[in-house]
Amino acid sequence: MSQGRGRGYTLVEILIALVILLVVAGAMHRLLLSTQRLTRLQARQSELQSALRAGALVVANELRELGPHDLLRLAPAAVTYRAMRGVGFLCQTPTPTTLRVARQGFTGHRDPQAGRDTAYVLLAAAESTAVWQPLAVTGVSAGSSCPGAVRSGIGVTVPSTPALLGLEPGTPVRFTEVMELRLYQSDGESWLGARSVSAGEPVQPVIGPLAAGNGLALEYFSGAAIPTSDPSSIRGIRVTLRGQVDGGEREESLTTVAVLRNVARP
Amino acid sequence: MRHTRSGLTLLEILVAIVVLGVGIAALVGTSGMTSRMLGAAKVETRAAQAASSRMEALRLAAQSTSPRCSSPAFASGGPVLAGGMTESWVVAPSGKVRRVRVIVTYLTVKGTRTAELETSMSC
């Protein structure tokens, strides 16, 4: 008796085993599929979160360096501004067409660039009557030398300006670039885009994809934290970035505040 | 002897099921854990942003008056409850350079957490 039963399974036993196996395998298949879907969703959500964090950092850092006079065009989802690119000091008396800026003491994102930047040279030193002369940068030689102990410098060629004659070494020079930040559409997706207006560049994507329509929201407010559209009274900008994952299944948003640092002392 | 070798014992099957179950539970648990971490990251980011926004508001208050830092809004304050977080801030009462500290407290499943931000502002 024991020999007969020990040799194999009956058809019924195999059928039952098969059915159970199918049910279990089916359940596992569904579980794995949903886990896979969830994992993808979570990966995208995590990417979106880090994109929003990076975007908030980039936009706020760019706007903080400005003053009210640097805000050129304002819109709810776009802003054109005079971005700070570097600050330095003259290391010798300039000619009408050439400025020499000491490398030592020069701070900024990058060196000045010809055809892109504007140099602002301080002509009158008194704070109440500060006059900054804007000069288009037409040439830059990064390897220029300065006289004296401060050796290395940046040579900047500008259109002939007699007012530069007689400026003393140590005169501050600011280099700025007109930039635009905006929400823009590309291939049916919305991105936070940036472009150099002064270099006439097309918009480049910075962060995204963001939510269409309200992916970037800029609110301008005054010193009393009241919304304003008058550029001269703007003291801060509230930046909101929004993004979506899988057609709105998950939503993320991040709001950050940038108070303008380059405000003349009242 | 032959009889016992003819198939899997109940114990073996149970062990197999337990092993499989542990594996699947771990897999499903990963998603749950990721979900919680994403949620926690969101809250942490919110707290950091809240602290940074409060700092900016204080900076705005500091530079809104002439001479600077004489605004009544530029002073220690809080706790203020906003968006499920408690913000409080400490401003040094005097000096040319003032130390400013913002503390944001928020609740998580693992208890109370704080985000702190500290800076100096010139007056």
Side-chain angles (χ1 to χ4, degrees):
Chain A
M1 177 195 149
S2 69
Q3 262 194 337
R5 283 180 62 184
R7 209 164 278 163
Y9 303 104
T10 66
L11 185 62
V12 176
E13 282 172 340
I14 289 178
L15 281 178
I16 291 172
L18 266 179
V19 167
I20 292 173
L21 195 71
L22 272 178
V23 169
V24 170
M28 275 181 63
H29 180 66
R30 271 177 46 189
L31 189 71
L32 288 178
L33 270 189
S34 68
T35 308
Q36 191 190 32
R37 215 188 113 268
L38 194 63
T39 306
R40 276 209 197 118
L41 188 68
Q42 285 169 340
R44 286 211 202 96
Q45 198 183 357
S46 152
E47 271 165 29
L48 178 62
Q49 280 186 353
S50 75
L52 292 186
R53 275 200 302 272
L57 213 61
V58 167
V59 176
N61 280 352
E62 191 82 340
L63 298 178
R64 270 182 193 130
E65 285 185 293
L66 310 180
H69 50 278
D70 294 321
L71 296 168
L72 305 176
R73 259 200 307 282
L74 312 169
V79 59
T80 305
Y81 57 97
R82 206 179 283 123
M84 185 79 92
R85 288 297 176 247
V87 187
F89 301 95
L90 296 182
C91 64
Q92 70 176 171
T93 304
T95 70
T97 57
T98 315
L99 306 167
R100 251 182 242 295
V101 178
R103 174 70 66 185
Q104 190 187 341
F106 180 84
T107 52
H109 292 295
R110 54 163 173 78
D111 275 12
Q113 285 181 11
R116 178 184 286 264
D117 291 353
T118 302
Y120 281 78
V121 185
L122 184 66
L123 295 185
E127 201 174 334
S128 54
T129 57
V131 177
W132 292 87
Q133 172 75 49
L135 302 160
V137 176
T138 56
V140 174
S141 60
S144 287
S145 59
C146 280
V150 191
R151 285 210 197 92
S152 113
I154 306 163
V156 178
T157 316
V158 296
S160 183
T161 312
L164 292 179
L165 282 169
L167 284 181
E168 288 175 7
T171 300
V173 185
R174 294 190 290 139
F175 294 95
T176 65
E177 177 181 15
V178 177
M179 293 289 295
E180 184 185 17
L181 281 175
R182 61 178 303 162
L183 187 72
Y184 88 106
Q185 313 281 325
S186 170
D187 298 330
E189 285 181 323
S190 293
W191 295 76
L192 168 65
R195 78 185 185 101
S196 169
V197 177
S198 44
E201 282 177 349
V203 185
Q204 303 283 328
V206 181
I207 298 292
L210 298 172
N214 65 353
L216 171 70
L218 298 164
E219 296 160 80
Y220 310 93
F221 57 85
S222 70
I226 297 164
T228 177
S229 56
D230 167 26
S232 65
S233 62
I234 291 173
R235 293 292 175 273
I237 302 171
R238 184 175 295 107
V239 183
T240 305
L241 294 167
R242 287 190 193 86
Q244 286 181 343
V245 176
D246 282 16
E249 194 162 338
R250 301 273 171 97
E251 280 196 0
E252 295 280 339
S253 75
L254 197 55
T255 300
T256 188
V257 174
V259 167
L260 307 181
R261 302 289 198 273
N262 199 6
V263 178
R265 283 174 183 246
Chain B
M1 187 60 179
R2 255 173 186 275
H3 179 77
T4 53
R5 284 167 56 144
S6 65
L8 302 172
T9 67
L10 182 62
L11 189 68
E12 283 168 338
I13 288 179
L14 283 178
V15 168
I17 288 174
V18 167
V19 169
L20 197 71
V22 167
I24 290 174
L27 199 67
V28 174
T30 315
S31 318
M33 200 170 76
T34 313
S35 266
R36 278 199 302 279
M37 285 167 107
L38 280 173
K42 200 173 180 171
V43 176
E44 265 175 53
T45 308
R46 282 263 158 80
Q49 286 302 335
S52 145
S53 294
R54 176 61 63 188
M55 198 63 103
E56 295 291 283
L58 287 169
R59 200 179 285 279
L60 188 67
Q63 68 183 30
S64 68
T65 54
S66 174
R68 286 188 178 208
C69 305
S70 55
S71 163
F74 188 66
S76 301
V80 167
L81 194 73
M85 294 174 187
T86 313
E87 298 173 25
S88 53
W89 53 97
V90 182
V91 178
S94 62
K96 197 89 184 106
V97 175
R98 307 270 194 95
R99 205 85 191 129
V100 182
R101 193 152 62 106
V102 176
I103 304 122
V104 175
T105 314
Y106 56 100
L107 220 77
T108 68
V109 280
K110 286 182 179 167
T112 313
R113 292 283 168 93
T114 51
E116 274 190 47
L117 210 56
E118 200 169 352
T119 193
S120 298
M121 293 185 195
S122 71
C123 288

